[in-house]
Amino acid sequence: MSETIRVLHVLGGTGLGGAESRIMDLYRQMNRDELQFDFLVHSSAVNGFREDAPEREPQFYDEEIRQLGGHIYVLPKFKVYNYPAYKKAIQSFFKAHHEFRVVQGHMTSTAGIYLPIAKKNGVPITVAHSRNAGVVKGLKGIATRFFRRNLVRKADYCFACSELAGKDVFGDEAVCQGKVKIIHNAIDAGKFTYDPQRRAEVREKLGLREQLVIGHVGRFDYQKNHPYLIEVFAKLCDRRQDAVLLLLGEGPGMDSIKEKCRALGIDGKVMFLGNQRQPENYYQAMDIFLLPSYFEGLPGVLVEAQAAGLRCLVSDAVTREAEATDLVTYLSIEQPAGEWAKRIEASASYERRDTFQMMRDAGFDVATQAAGYRIFYQKGDSSGL
């Protein structure tokens, strides 16, 4: 038997984020006797490179990664001023670990630092993978742009989840010249397929019957634009007394959103469900999916919502490449919240249907994509992706 190929994914963490979820979907598809994934993540709990640092707070996917045979390695969180210490920790890591055939960097803000070091230490294939099409405001966003400069020249391969994400990280010229491979975020589409019986069971569990159920899945941070979402829902409540909002996810902005709900008098209609290991069940319970983001790469949650047969109202800042079905309507977040509420009410009556084949045909099923990744990891041939 040939030696198992090990692939290192570099991420901010192993929490329930979009990039992490898509990598885990892919990981589950691998023959792990042939291919294994390891994870290099970041934490403010360490000062230098550590292996399975006990100081780091456990995250959502840690247990599953270890059960699948993967390792989790920890670097200090990059804060610009600690550049020398950060670089030293990366150098220490790659001097100690020579087992990786591929290093795939999903954290592009510092990929220009760690990918060249990986290459210098003998890693055959390095990949910079753009997963988003925007940065946060302020100094952090400026620093991210600075450290991404010329990233297209610092990796063997450049991947992006959408053309928009590719241009944002690698530049218009690199995308137009074909230097960036566009690989749409794929999901385990079969898990999300609409099932009336499962819908009834989940709604009963949540105490929902004939209500109009609005849903959103996403981390509570600036990018996802929860304040606007809550304003939209408040306006909808003026029009539909039976409206309920399900919010899946966690994050630093959750408490302020709860306070906003109380201030608007809608807190009794909003269910904060946190992170869920089986989010596919909650999509079944929804009637309309909202995604009013400021920016996205190619949002996996929008792919999931369509796989569940949901009508989706989405910010027009989100790439059209995520539109796999006729269920998506793009709206401007510059509009008054009441305009979104009107569109929700007008969209509420439709026939829910099985969209699995549509998602597969559009290239959003991970089982198909995994075959291309297996060849890439084994042979460095990206033509099947």
Side-chain angles (χ1 to χ4, degrees):
M1 181 182 292
S2 59
E3 187 177 350
T4 302
I5 292 171
R6 301 200 79 90
V7 177
L8 182 70
H9 292 278
V10 185
L11 292 155
T14 51
L16 191 61
E20 296 86 346
S21 296
R22 300 293 75 80
I23 295 164
M24 293 304 294
D25 282 340
L26 189 65
Y27 192 8
R28 298 178 193 113
Q29 296 289 324
M30 294 293 127
N31 178 339
R32 290 179 294 279
D33 291 330
E34 298 177 357
L35 280 161
Q36 260 294 351
F37 287 2
D38 295 318
F39 295 79
L40 183 59
V41 301
H42 295 70
S43 172
S44 56
V46 302
N47 294 317
F49 148 60
R50 296 291 301 273
E51 301 197 21
D52 287 339
E55 310 96 313
R56 168 180 165 269
E57 186 176 344
Q59 294 190 301
F60 191 84
Y61 286 119
D62 285 6
E63 183 179 351
E64 183 179 3
I65 287 169
R66 295 186 179 109
Q67 287 176 347
L68 293 174
H71 301 124
I72 301 170
Y73 306 102
V74 188
L75 290 175
K77 188 170 287 188
F78 182 65
K79 299 178 181 177
V80 181
Y81 65 80
N82 69 340
Y83 174 82
Y86 181 75
K87 186 174 181 180
K88 182 179 179 181
I90 294 167
Q91 290 170 332
S92 297
F93 175 79
F94 283 109
K95 284 179 180 178
H97 291 274
H98 300 277
E99 66 267 35
F100 304 113
R101 174 171 172 74
V102 181
V103 173
Q104 191 164 347
H106 308 272
M107 187 174 171
T108 56
S109 56
T110 56
I113 304 172
Y114 60 76
L115 290 181
I117 292 173
K119 195 69 179 177
K120 186 176 180 180
N121 282 275
V123 174
I125 298 171
T126 60
V127 183
H129 197 145
S130 172
R131 295 282 188 173
N132 223 328
V135 296
V136 297
K137 293 181 177 180
L139 290 175
K140 184 176 180 180
I142 293 170
T144 295
R145 295 285 189 207
F146 177 82
F147 282 101
R148 280 177 177 170
R149 292 174 311 151
N150 301 318
L151 183 54
V152 71
R153 299 190 185 97
K154 297 177 181 178
D156 296 323
Y157 293 86
C158 295
F159 293 167
C161 62
S162 68
E163 184 174 311
L164 197 62
K167 289 180 177 179
D168 186 76
V169 172
F170 303 113
D172 292 5
E173 184 178 341
V175 173
C176 293
Q177 291 179 351
K179 295 179 180 179
V180 180
K181 185 83 174 181
I182 307 301
I183 307 169
H184 292 156
N185 290 333
I187 65 168
D188 188 352
K191 291 199 311 184
F192 292 85
T193 302
Y194 177 56
D195 180 343
Q197 181 177 343
R198 190 157 46 133
R199 170 182 168 84
E201 291 171 353
V202 177
R203 286 176 73 106
E204 183 177 356
K205 175 184 173 183
L206 294 172
L208 304 171
R209 287 178 171 78
E210 301 303 319
Q211 291 97 325
L212 174 62
V213 180
I214 312 304
H216 173 81
V217 180
R219 178 175 166 79
F220 285 80
D221 62 13
Y222 168 79
Q223 175 186 342
K224 301 300 181 181
N225 199 11
H226 282 87
Y228 184 77
L229 188 155
I230 295 303
E231 290 170 15
V232 168
F233 181 68
K235 292 296 185 182
L236 178 65
C237 290
D238 292 339
R239 307 175 70 90
R240 290 283 301 253
Q241 297 301 308
D242 62 338
V244 175
L245 176 62
L246 306 185
L247 295 176
L248 275 70
E250 297 177 358
M254 182 187 287
D255 287 343
S256 67
I257 294 302
K258 288 182 177 179
E259 179 55 39
K260 187 176 182 72
C261 290
R262 285 191 289 269
L264 291 171
I266 58 170
D267 49 311
K269 292 175 171 286
V270 182
M271 301 176 69
F272 291 82
L273 299 175
N275 290 334
Q276 295 290 333
R277 291 202 173 273
Q278 294 180 305
E280 61 270 19
N281 290 335
Y282 295 88
Y283 285 102
Q284 301 292 324
M286 299 172 190
D287 296 305
I288 301 285
F289 182 80
L290 299 187
L291 190 68
S293 303
Y294 284 113
F295 58 86
E296 294 279 356
L298 191 146
V301 293
L302 179 54
V303 177
E304 292 171 351
Q306 291 175 87
L310 281 169
R311 278 280 170 95
C312 305
L313 273 64
V314 181
S315 163
D316 61 6
V318 174
T319 177
R320 264 62 174 176
E321 291 168 74
E323 188 178 7
T325 68
D326 60 359
L327 294 166
V328 182
T329 298
Y330 290 92
L331 300 172
S332 172
I333 54 176
E334 299 300 321
Q335 293 186 94
E339 295 302 311
W340 277 61
K342 290 178 186 177
R343 294 298 294 269
I344 293 170
E345 187 177 33
S347 303
S349 297
Y350 66 99
E351 184 178 352
R352 195 91 168 257
R353 65 189 193 273
D354 184 334
T355 58
F356 175 75
Q357 195 58 49
M358 296 173 71
M359 303 306 294
R360 172 170 278 186
D361 291 346
F364 288 109
D365 184 47
V366 73
T368 304
Q369 192 177 95
Y373 265 114
R374 281 193 288 269
I375 293 170
F376 173 69
Y377 291 144
Q378 292 168 341
K379 302 179 180 180
D381 178 2
S382 65
S383 62
L385 289 170

